[in-house]
Amino acid sequence: MHPRVLEVTERLIERSRATRQHYLALIGAAAAQGPQRGKLQCANFAHGVAGCSSHDKQTLRLPDAANVAIVTAYNDMLSAHQPYERFPALIKQALHEVGSVGQVAGGVPAMCDGVTQGEAGMELSLASREVIAMSTAVALSHNMFDAALCLGVCDKIVPGLLIGALRFGHLPTLFVPAGPMTSGLSNKDKAAVRERFAEGKASRDELLESEMKAYHGPGTCTFYGTANTNQMLMEVMGLHLPGASFVNPGTPLRDALTRAAAQQAARLTRQGGHYLPLGQLVDERCLVNAVVALHATGGSTNHSLHLPAIAQAAGIQLTWQDMAELSEVVPTLAHVYPNGKADINHFQAAGGTALLIRELLDAGLLHEDVATVAGPGLRRYTEEPFLDGERLVWRAGAVASLDESILRPVARPFSPEGGLRLLQGNLGRGVMKLSAVAPEHHVIQAPARVFHDQAALAAAFQAGELDRDVVAVVRFQGPRCNGMPELHKLTPFLGVLQDRGYQVALVTDGRMSGASGKVPAAIHVCPEACDGGPLARVRDGDLIRVDGRTGELRVLVDAAEFAAREPVAPPPPAIGSGRELFAFMRAGFSSAEQGASVFSASLAALQ
């Protein structure tokens, strides 16, 4: 093992010792009680099976039969989740074949950041992760189940499902992906049309045609944003079946993997004889593996929020410092848009997750001795699934990249370090995704232009007010102020300025998420402006330095003068589009560094 990976892991284990022990005791006590439906009162049990077939009712009365909860994020408005419409029937049939039962225990909401981008609904996006976690808990609260299958793909859905499932960590749990849509218009061509539209050089009809050719069918968007990063991390954490992440929906292999996941869930129950509770699988080594894979692939910066929140749900205290120290030694092995030109289907064809995991294991950058839903040891995840007739089999995956412009070995990385940088200074602490930013833009020093929302920046761009070197400060976008909406709608404007030869950066207490692109962005800055953080004292014209090499985030103003400034008051809370319903949640959010979670304080108090 690489000494830095060992050092961070050992420190994480020690820091988390008390809270992790408390968590394991909690799920151990739940597991010791055995299958709960056998202890329910007759009326309770009758309610729980009333909707089942007579066959399933009889099966569920048997102590050696497993009942698997299906928690689904299906809706047909999200392309990534539309394929889940067919999954419950596949799962139930597969479980019947091994003498078990599946019940759709509950649904969770699933919203799309791509649809709500720049709209009022985006202010509900991060909060939806907490709602999904609570909805998962509600689904699993009926004490009827021996295992769970979580059906989710996109941005907040997978982290929310995992946080909720971890609070029922005595249950074996598998995540069942739906796969990416097939490749459409290239991401490079799509981005070019967006930038031309931002400059007024492309019509709205041209823009709409481009977008609909890019997002054209069922499945995950093909760029390497939060959704596909979710899938990568679930696989590296051993929560998917090997090679399941990036198989296109509606194919025989996809269906076979779904059926196999259902039957594997039954095997992992006490009745199945290979009991593996989720809460034991997701340990410190598993989380370190997730961070390593995030860095090696230049994955979504949203996971600097999600991974600490997931860890907290398992009694583990993961920090940005841990993530930054791992980034220093993990090479960047993948270039998938927005970090490169390829999409996720091209990545899979070049060698995919099997080759990536093989390279990281052989370099001592991943813990191999971990539990997975496919059995002990991560080496199994260097295999790929295939159909041998109608039989699902796994074979050794690629041992060399088929396209080193997309996926490279550790010996020839795109960069010797990962894609995430911790930034800190007199403006607070934040993160930057460096993997998509050209080296000549890693350090920006320019006068500030301060905005309180995305629309104001867009208006200033259209008026020609930003045609200069500039650090755009977009504040009052943190979790406690307005729910921390993603600000990706700013990317085309800032990208155009960069293309015009200006030195441009973004500094914000908001998010840029998995679509963070070529413009250097200091994001998730905390303390946030709404709480009187340093960003609330920045003024137009202040010189700001954003240094992705040294990790410096600083306003170059006399310290006494800066401290004496009165923080600008936050704008009044916005209402409409349901935002008023989430006011209590915004008030309870922790800082971005603690996962921007409403659960952080309550879980810490309990543990």
Side-chain angles (χ1 to χ4, degrees):
M1 288 295 297
H2 192 287
R4 177 66 62 81
V5 177
L6 284 176
E7 176 189 346
V8 171
T9 305
E10 289 166 3
R11 186 175 65 213
L12 181 58
I13 290 171
E14 185 56 37
R15 182 191 310 129
S16 308
R17 192 172 301 281
T19 52
R20 179 65 175 170
Q21 287 177 351
H22 184 278
Y23 173 77
L24 291 175
L26 176 73
I27 66 170
Q33 298 177 34
Q36 294 298 295
R37 71 178 183 279
K39 299 178 181 179
L40 292 177
Q41 297 293 326
C42 293
N44 300 67
F45 179 83
H47 274 288
V49 301
C52 294
S53 67
S54 58
H55 175 272
D56 284 355
K57 287 178 181 177
Q58 183 59 36
T59 301
L60 290 175
R61 297 176 70 173
L62 303 175
D64 58 347
N67 190 23
V68 178
I70 304 167
V71 184
T72 178
Y74 164 72
N75 66 51
D76 60 13
M77 193 276 295
L78 271 69
S79 63
H81 292 85
Q82 187 275 338
Y84 284 136
E85 181 178 19
R86 297 176 54 248
F87 278 35
L90 284 173
I91 289 167
K92 291 179 182 183
Q93 179 58 40
L95 288 168
H96 284 160
E97 292 171 8
V98 294
S100 296
V101 173
Q103 289 184 290
V104 176
V108 302
M111 64 176 290
C112 179
D113 286 9
V115 176
T116 57
Q117 200 64 251
E119 303 294 327
M122 176 56 80
E123 295 184 13
L124 276 58
S125 176
L126 184 58
S128 77
R129 182 191 68 186
E130 318 300 90
V131 175
I132 291 161
M134 292 187 287
S135 300
T136 303
V138 170
L140 298 177
S141 68
H142 295 98
N143 282 337
M144 287 285 295
F145 307 112
D146 305 290
L149 293 168
C150 291
L151 279 54
V153 173
C154 286
D155 293 17
K156 314 308 170 297
I157 295 94
V158 167
L161 284 165
L162 184 50
I163 290 168
L166 280 166
R167 302 315 295 177
F168 290 79
H170 62 290
L171 296 177
T173 302
L174 277 78
F175 279 69
V176 186
M181 69 177 69
T182 56
S183 299
L185 181 72
S186 76
N187 288 297
K188 179 184 178 183
D189 290 344
K190 174 190 69 180
V193 175
R194 285 179 175 178
E195 292 195 0
R196 287 175 47 233
F197 180 77
E199 293 183 275
K201 296 178 180 178
S203 69
R204 184 168 294 280
D205 284 342
E206 289 176 274
L207 179 65
L208 181 58
E209 182 181 7
S210 165
E211 296 292 339
M212 293 191 73
K213 286 180 178 178
Y215 307 113
H216 63 89
T220 315
C221 306
T222 58
F223 68 90
Y224 195 49
T226 309
N228 284 321
T229 306
N230 281 338
Q231 304 315 297
M232 178 75 70
L233 298 191
M234 290 302 98
E235 189 152 331
V236 174
M237 292 171 76
L239 294 172
H240 281 174
L241 291 180
S245 295
F246 302 124
V247 175
N248 301 124
T251 61
L253 181 57
R254 177 83 277 158
D255 287 353
L257 285 163
T258 299
R259 291 168 51 83
Q263 294 180 351
Q264 186 66 4
R267 292 187 192 99
L268 296 179
T269 62
R270 288 192 185 279
Q271 298 95 320
H274 301 281
Y275 181 57
L276 177 61
L278 174 67
Q280 289 184 10
L281 188 159
V282 179
D283 64 7
E284 294 88 347
R285 295 166 302 166
C286 172
L287 284 160
V288 167
N289 283 353
V291 175
V292 168
L294 178 70
H295 294 326
T297 56
S300 168
T301 51
N302 268 332
H303 287 87
S304 65
L305 304 174
H306 297 326
L307 285 174
I310 290 166
Q312 180 72 250
I316 299 169
Q317 311 302 320
L318 181 69
T319 69
W320 280 357
Q321 188 64 43
D322 297 326
M323 299 177 75
E325 290 185 21
L326 288 169
S327 184
E328 292 173 357
V329 301
V330 175
T332 300
L333 303 184
H335 266 188
V336 184
Y337 187 86
N339 308 334
K341 298 178 182 179
D343 70 22
I344 201 67
N345 293 309
H346 304 143
F347 165 84
Q348 187 68 1
T353 53
L355 179 58
L356 176 83
I357 292 170
R358 181 188 302 278
E359 285 292 322
L360 294 172
L361 281 172
D362 290 349
L365 291 165
L366 289 176
H367 291 280
E368 185 172 349
D369 58 334
V370 292
T372 80
V373 297
L378 194 59
R379 185 66 60 173
R380 175 73 194 279
Y381 285 74
T382 63
E383 299 178 352
E384 293 181 328
F386 293 91
L387 286 177
D388 181 4
E390 295 184 357
R391 189 168 65 96
L392 179 63
V393 297
W394 276 266
R395 303 171 188 159
V399 296
S401 175
L402 278 70
D403 188 339
E404 289 199 10
S405 71
I406 300 171
L407 180 58
R408 290 187 180 178
V410 169
R412 294 184 297 279
F414 290 101
S415 168
E417 62 175 326
L420 192 73
R421 174 76 76 241
L422 173 62
L423 302 177
Q424 49 193 332
N426 63 2
L427 286 179
R429 289 163 66 86
V431 296
M432 176 188 286
K433 182 178 177 181
L434 278 178
S435 52
V437 178
E440 61 268 26
H441 300 303
H442 283 184
V443 181
I444 302 293
Q445 184 169 303
R449 177 69 189 272
V450 182
F451 303 96
H452 292 181
D453 58 51
Q454 299 178 76
L457 188 151
F461 173 86
Q462 299 291 357
E465 298 172 7
L466 301 181
D467 286 318
R468 55 183 173 83
D469 293 350
V470 64
V471 173
V473 176
V474 184
R475 63 191 177 195
F476 301 118
Q477 305 300 308
R480 289 171 60 82
C481 190
N482 67 350
M484 208 179 194
E486 183 190 346
L487 306 176
H488 179 51
K489 194 171 184 179
L490 302 180
T491 299
F493 303 119
L494 299 176
V496 166
L497 295 175
Q498 189 180 81
D499 290 345
R500 290 174 180 171
Y502 299 116
Q503 293 294 297
V504 181
L506 172 69
V507 176
T508 181
D509 47 11
R511 296 186 294 120
M512 286 291 281
S513 94
S516 299
K518 64 185 182 180
V519 176
I523 60 176
H524 305 173
V525 174
C526 53
E528 62 176 280
C530 188
D531 287 336
L535 287 185
R537 299 200 299 273
V538 175
R539 304 289 186 264
D540 283 344
D542 287 348
L543 199 61
I544 291 180
R545 183 174 180 83
V546 180
D547 192 330
R549 294 176 186 156
T550 65
E552 183 181 13
L553 177 62
R554 186 168 297 279
V555 59
L556 304 180
V557 173
D558 176 76
E561 177 193 339
F562 191 67
R565 289 179 180 174
E566 188 70 23
V568 173
I575 60 172
S577 296
R579 287 173 288 181
E580 57 276 14
L581 299 177
F582 289 79
F584 78 97
M585 194 172 281
R586 291 192 297 271
F589 272 130
S590 64
S591 72
E593 190 163 8
Q594 294 175 308
S597 173
V598 296
F599 307 131
S600 293
S602 59
L603 289 177
L606 289 172
Q607 294 169 350

